[in-house]
């Protein structure tokens, strides 16, 4: 079959890489893709938000299956556009992608259906938010309602910071219309775990757990980023936690969405915090995490095409997911200055030296080919170096051993991805 993947990051490289292993995948296209994806699929220069362009490409090439990796097109309704033309597409419809598209919606859903999450209030008027903060308990968390590239969450230590935060989100609209509404949330403490899950609208199948590292600097310092590294599985996601989540979070979320007339077909990402009162939902995403996909998909033994088709056909209850009894650690190599200002166009050396290894996979994120055909940097997060091993420690050592083989000007990475492993 012919498959089209929509997106251009490390997550989409991991998706294309997994799909390419399926004997059913005869031809894979990726729009717009990147230099790494271009080595295993045909990249087409159509932007992820150009629904008309993608649709006419899919019709012209008789695409059998479109897989949407990114949040923006999903929240914008790309699945509805494809379905209206009778095309097979994997991802939630617009009315279900709102689970990620609006934090006010997801918080209300959790409250209505008794899904554990932080206590909260929603505001659409900055003055009301400011009045509320006069008597609130600190620290406190402010969240822009809509999509903000993972940056619309402010953790405020005291009232002054929180009032400044209302200015940033609602008055100065630093995250654009995402800040038209704002959620103010109780600050929770605990370990964070991400669980991605396939869902066919009725049945949910969680994948193995993972842990992200969102801050730019070692020791979780510096600015929030799209994600500087991940490991899988999380040693803190015990069988007991899993049982609790199945009973109180996963299936309840699927049933809540169905009851609301918004059946969710696609990948639900559960961002969880393991608090002293048990696991609670920090956030939902409506697609694979990036860079969680880079450590979860290489560990999956199922044919990804089969699992995606089971979701679309509503037969996921007949599918069991199988994950290898191993571990993966992804270290992101970023451009100097990320996530603020960084240069692009620097040649990347050493990629060839890691090819063909079965314990290392390099997923490209912000890479492109220059006019001379060289692979150059083209974004903030450039590469994800994934080490695989029998244990998390082995996988981490493999990833960090491989990292110095790849170089580009001003490259940096966190040196402490997977540090939590030592505390398990
Ligand atoms: P979100 O995009 O909602 O997952 O928030 C981004 C990050 O902010 C999370 O991964 C947490 O590290 C942190 N965060 C979000 N909500 C809370 C909360 N209620 N308490 C403490 N930390 C939070």
């Amino acid at each position: 079959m012919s498959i089209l993947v929509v997106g251009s990051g490390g997550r989409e490289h991991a998706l294309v890489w997994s799909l390419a292993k399926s004997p059913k995948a005869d031809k894979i296209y990726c729009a717009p893709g990147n230099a790494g994806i271009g080595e295993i699929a045909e990249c087409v220069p159509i932007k992820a938000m150009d629904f008309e362009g993608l649709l006419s490409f899919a019709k012209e090439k008789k695409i059998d299956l479109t897989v949407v990796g990114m949040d923006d097109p999903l929240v914008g309704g790309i699945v509805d556009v494809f379905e209206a033309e009778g095309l097979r597409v994997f991802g939630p419809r617009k009315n279900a992608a709102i689970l990620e598209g609006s934090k006010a919606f997801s918080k209300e859903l959790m409250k209505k259906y008794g899904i554990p999450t932080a206590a909260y209030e929603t505001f659409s008027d900055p003055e009301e938010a400011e009045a509320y903060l006069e008597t609130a308990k600190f620290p406190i968390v402010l969240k822009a309602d809509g999509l903000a590239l993972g940056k619309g969450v402010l953790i405020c230590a005291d009232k002054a910071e929180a009032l400044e935060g209302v200015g940033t989100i609602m008055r100065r609209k630093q995250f654009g219309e995402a800040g038209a509404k704002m959620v103010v949330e109780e600050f929770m403490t605990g370990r964070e775990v991400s669980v991605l899950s396939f869902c066919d609208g009725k049945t949910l199948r969680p994948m193995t757990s993972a842990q992200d590292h969102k801050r730019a600097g070692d020791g979780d310092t510096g600015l929030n980023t799209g994600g500087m590294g991940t490991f899988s599985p999380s040693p803190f996601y015990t069988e007991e936690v899993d049982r609790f989540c199945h009973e109180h979070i996963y299936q309840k979320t699927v049933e809540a969405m169905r009851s609301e007339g918004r059946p969710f077909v696609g990948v639900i990402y559960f961002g969880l915090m393991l608090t002293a009162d048990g696991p609670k939902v920090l956030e939902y995403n409506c697609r694979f995490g990036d860079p969680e996909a880079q450590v979860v998909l290489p560990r999956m033994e199922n044919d990804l095409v089969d699992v995606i088709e089971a979701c679309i056909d509503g037969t996921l209850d007949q599918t069991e997911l199988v994950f290898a009894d191993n571990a993966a650690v992804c270290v992101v190599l970023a451009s100097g200055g990320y996530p603020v200002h960084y240069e692009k166009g620097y040649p990347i050396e050493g990629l060839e030296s890691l090819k063909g290894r079965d314990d290392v996979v390099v997923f490209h994120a912000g890479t492109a080919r220059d006019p001379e055909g060289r692979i150059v940097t083209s974004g903030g997060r450039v590469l994800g170096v994934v080490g695989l091993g029998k244990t998390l420690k082995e996988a981490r050592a493999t990833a960090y051993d491989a990292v110095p083989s790849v170089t580009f000007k001003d490259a940096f990475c966190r040196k402490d991805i997977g540090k939590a492993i030592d505390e398990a």
Side-chain angles (χ1 to χ4, degrees):
M1 59 164 61
S2 293
I3 302 174
L4 169 64
V5 174
V6 178
S8 60
R11 164 186 47 213
E12 285 74 26
H13 194 178
L15 281 167
V16 169
W17 180 87
S18 296
L19 291 165
K21 290 199 289 187
S22 170
K24 296 193 177 128
D26 301 313
K27 173 83 188 171
I28 305 180
Y29 298 94
C30 186
N34 61 37
I37 295 174
E39 292 180 349
I40 50 171
E42 186 175 332
C43 294
V44 286
I46 308 173
K47 294 212 168 82
M49 289 306 283
D50 178 4
F51 295 178
E52 286 309 312
L54 291 168
L55 191 61
S56 51
F57 178 82
K59 284 186 187 163
E60 181 199 321
K61 297 289 182 189
K62 300 198 166 37
I63 298 293
D64 300 295
L65 172 66
T66 298
V67 179
V68 185
M70 293 169 73
D71 48 356
D72 276 334
L74 290 168
V75 171
I78 190 170
V79 168
D80 307 58
V81 171
F82 271 60
E83 282 184 350
E85 297 286 329
L87 294 175
R88 247 164 116 69
V89 54
F90 179 61
R93 292 182 189 150
K94 187 175 183 170
N95 74 353
I98 191 175
L99 194 60
E100 171 169 6
S102 167
K103 293 204 189 274
F105 170 86
S106 68
K107 294 296 291 189
E108 209 173 302
L109 186 88
M110 287 186 265
K111 191 192 233 174
K112 183 169 170 187
Y113 292 91
I115 299 165
T117 189
Y120 77 103
E121 296 285 337
T122 302
F123 298 95
S124 38
D125 176 351
E127 269 175 37
E128 282 176 22
E130 285 154 357
Y132 174 82
L133 291 169
E134 286 299 324
T135 55
K137 238 176 83 188
F138 296 93
I140 206 161
V141 185
L142 309 187
K143 299 186 175 185
D145 176 50
L147 294 184
L149 294 170
K151 294 175 188 141
V153 174
L154 305 178
I155 296 176
C156 305
D158 53 33
K159 190 163 83 182
E161 267 187 33
L163 292 174
E164 178 58 26
V166 177
T168 305
I169 293 176
M170 299 191 86
R171 292 195 185 274
R172 292 189 294 283
K173 295 260 173 78
Q174 194 168 312
F175 309 108
E177 278 315 298
K181 270 199 235 168
M182 187 179 77
V183 168
V184 178
E185 196 172 276
E186 164 204 9
F187 177 77
M188 303 189 291
T189 52
R191 290 202 182 269
E192 289 186 41
V193 183
S194 309
V195 176
L196 318 183
S197 60
F198 288 101
C199 192
D200 70 357
K202 311 181 292 283
T203 302
L204 180 131
R205 292 276 185 258
M207 295 174 233
T208 180
S209 59
Q211 186 176 323
D212 190 12
H213 298 67
K214 286 201 168 74
R215 302 292 199 93
D218 286 355
D220 290 325
T221 54
L223 294 172
N224 262 333
T225 69
M228 293 298 293
T230 35
F231 60 84
S232 171
S234 162
F236 308 102
Y237 190 81
T238 59
E239 273 177 29
E240 189 191 342
V241 171
D242 185 55
R243 228 176 294 121
F244 180 95
C245 292
H246 270 278
E247 191 177 333
H248 298 282
I249 297 176
Y250 302 151
Q251 202 54 38
K252 269 190 174 175
T253 301
V254 176
E255 276 155 25
M257 290 299 279
R258 264 183 95 189
S259 306
E260 294 292 309
R262 302 169 183 272
F264 193 106
V265 178
V267 169
I268 305 184
Y269 168 125
F270 295 89
L272 305 170
M273 191 173 265
L274 310 181
T275 75
D277 300 331
K280 294 189 181 181
V281 177
L282 279 170
E283 66 164 340
Y284 292 116
N285 290 331
C286 67
R287 35 74 195 178
F288 280 95
D290 184 345
E292 284 89 345
Q294 289 90 312
V295 285
V296 168
L297 288 173
R299 300 188 53 228
M300 193 170 96
E301 294 186 342
N302 302 70
D303 181 321
L304 181 57
V305 174
D306 286 343
V307 181
I308 286 178
E309 296 216 289
C311 290
I312 297 173
D313 295 335
T315 57
L316 195 59
D317 59 333
Q318 293 157 39
T319 301
E320 293 303 329
L321 298 183
V322 182
F323 285 86
D325 184 19
N326 64 0
V329 172
C330 172
V331 177
V332 169
L333 280 177
S335 299
Y338 173 75
V340 186
H341 176 78
Y342 50 86
E343 299 295 328
K344 297 180 188 176
Y346 293 138
I348 304 170
E349 312 289 346
L351 286 165
E352 288 300 322
S353 69
L354 296 176
K355 280 200 178 139
R357 281 181 60 169
D358 53 15
D359 59 345
V360 176
V361 194
V362 179
F363 291 119
H364 290 222
T367 70
R369 288 214 181 249
D370 73 359
E372 286 110 81
R374 294 178 305 178
I375 297 181
V376 297
T377 65
S378 73
R381 290 189 295 166
V382 177
L383 300 164
V385 178
V386 178
L388 292 156
K390 284 197 281 297
T391 62
L392 282 162
K393 284 185 181 167
E394 199 180 298
R396 180 176 60 184
T398 302
Y400 275 112
D401 263 3
V403 162
S405 309
V406 188
T407 54
F408 55 90
K409 189 170 180 292
D410 298 338
F412 81 96
C413 68
R414 273 184 63 165
K415 304 286 187 293
D416 64 345
I417 300 300
K419 187 163 181 289
I421 296 165
D422 304 322
E423 295 152 19

